[in-house]
Amino acid sequence: MSGNRIIHTPEEIVRIRRAAEVTAAVRDEIARLAHPGMTTFDLDQLAGSLITATGGISAFKNYHGYPGNICISVNDTVIHGIGTPEQIISENDIVSIDVGVNIDNAMGDTALTFGFKEPDKDTKRLLDGTRDALMDGIAAARCGAFVRDISAAVEKCARKHKLAIVRDYVGHGCGIKLHEAPEIPNYTGWGKGPRLEPGMVLCIEPMLNLGTDSVRLDRRDHWTVRTADGALSAHFEHMILITDNEPEILTWQKTM
């Protein structure tokens, strides 16, 4: 685990805070307007329009060749799902949206998973458990702690809810670039990682599954990541700022 970290300047934090707020607003509006019968391409185009209206641009589109405005991951898709005209959203689906906005050369990045009707017992356990794991991870992100403390908190909560932890993809620093140091795994066993200091901006993002922790990458688009066994997956993500006191959630989710 790398000991690298990035401490942002006060001027950068002003811009990052605004980008995070804008991104959170777009995320919430996408979730509010999404409905069964839409295609995931419709949802992606809606997201693109909402992002453009902020004066920013998608932080994801064309990033390493990614073709969408946002990531739209339905049911067993863990992350990096691409909106397509062929995929029609059903009232029985759960949908993960991962939204990134670049505005004034600062980044916002946030995700949530939602459904359209009262979930069954296992789906509720997945959604509640992943959301709880995110909040427990944030609570552990205090000045003087280590990245591993975040990982341990997420892992403990996931185990409590009997959910599998995706190990192939992790959280990360964020701010001026979409992906900055350090990496933030949702599991322990790799060392302490860097000590948390004021000015660090982190994306904590549990990705938890009802079934196995194994995932597979779509060989056709080379982006979409699905659970290996077809079980449901959920993804929640906040950006936080490490302060001298409690962490500041920069992308507080009104829809949660």
Side-chain angles (χ1 to χ4, degrees):
M1 188 73 181
S2 171
N4 292 340
R5 75 202 78 184
I6 294 178
I7 308 297
H8 291 285
T9 67
E11 184 275 333
E12 288 174 339
I13 291 170
V14 168
R15 289 189 285 122
I16 294 166
R17 185 180 279 117
R18 176 176 177 242
E21 290 172 355
V22 164
T23 308
V26 170
R27 176 209 59 220
D28 289 347
E29 188 69 356
I30 295 168
R32 187 182 73 83
L33 294 173
H35 60 82
M38 298 179 76
T39 68
T40 53
F41 180 77
D42 293 334
L43 196 60
D44 184 78
Q45 293 301 292
L46 169 65
S49 297
L50 292 171
I51 292 170
T52 298
T54 70
I57 60 173
S58 168
F60 297 167
K61 193 173 181 65
N62 298 320
Y63 183 73
H64 295 302
Y66 183 77
N69 291 296
I70 64 171
C71 299
I72 305 170
S73 304
V74 180
N75 295 333
D76 65 330
T77 300
V78 181
I79 51 171
H80 301 163
I82 301 167
T84 67
E86 294 76 28
Q87 186 172 30
I88 300 172
I89 298 170
S90 160
E91 68 174 5
N92 297 316
D93 291 335
I94 60 170
V95 180
S96 297
I97 54 172
D98 192 353
V99 183
V101 178
N102 177 348
I103 187 165
D104 195 19
N105 293 315
M107 301 291 176
D109 186 9
T110 180
L112 67 82
T113 304
F114 60 92
F116 302 99
K117 65 178 187 178
E118 188 67 26
D120 61 32
K121 183 178 179 181
D122 282 337
T123 304
K124 187 176 190 302
R125 172 167 60 87
L126 173 67
L127 296 175
D128 290 348
T130 310
R131 186 187 300 109
D132 290 350
L134 169 62
M135 300 311 296
D136 285 0
I138 291 171
R142 301 185 67 94
C143 179
F146 292 86
V147 166
R148 185 189 181 281
D149 296 312
I150 301 173
S151 304
V154 172
E155 182 178 52
K156 181 178 179 181
C157 186
R159 301 301 184 205
K160 181 178 72 174
H161 288 275
K162 298 180 180 179
L163 297 171
I165 301 167
V166 173
R167 303 174 73 89
D168 297 57
Y169 300 89
V170 298
H172 53 93
C174 185
I176 301 305
K177 296 181 178 179
L178 182 60
H179 290 99
E180 299 176 346
E183 291 188 344
I184 307 168
N186 294 308
Y187 57 90
T188 57
W190 43 263
K192 287 185 176 181
R195 185 187 297 271
L196 303 182
E197 299 181 25
M200 294 174 70
V201 178
L202 309 176
C203 286
I204 301 175
E205 49 179 322
M207 293 154 273
L208 306 182
N209 302 339
L210 277 180
T212 179
D213 61 0
S214 298
V215 298
R216 55 187 174 86
L217 180 66
D218 191 298
R219 293 184 179 180
R220 294 166 299 175
D221 65 34
H222 304 288
W223 280 104
T224 304
V225 177
R226 296 184 178 90
T227 57
D229 59 0
L232 295 180
S233 183
H235 177 205
F236 288 83
E237 176 183 16
H238 269 321
M239 281 178 73
I240 65 167
L241 171 67
I242 303 301
T243 74
D244 289 319
N245 299 300
E246 294 184 357
E248 177 186 349
I249 301 176
L250 301 177
T251 51
W252 184 255
Q253 302 190 50
K254 303 176 184 68
T255 57
M256 286 177 67

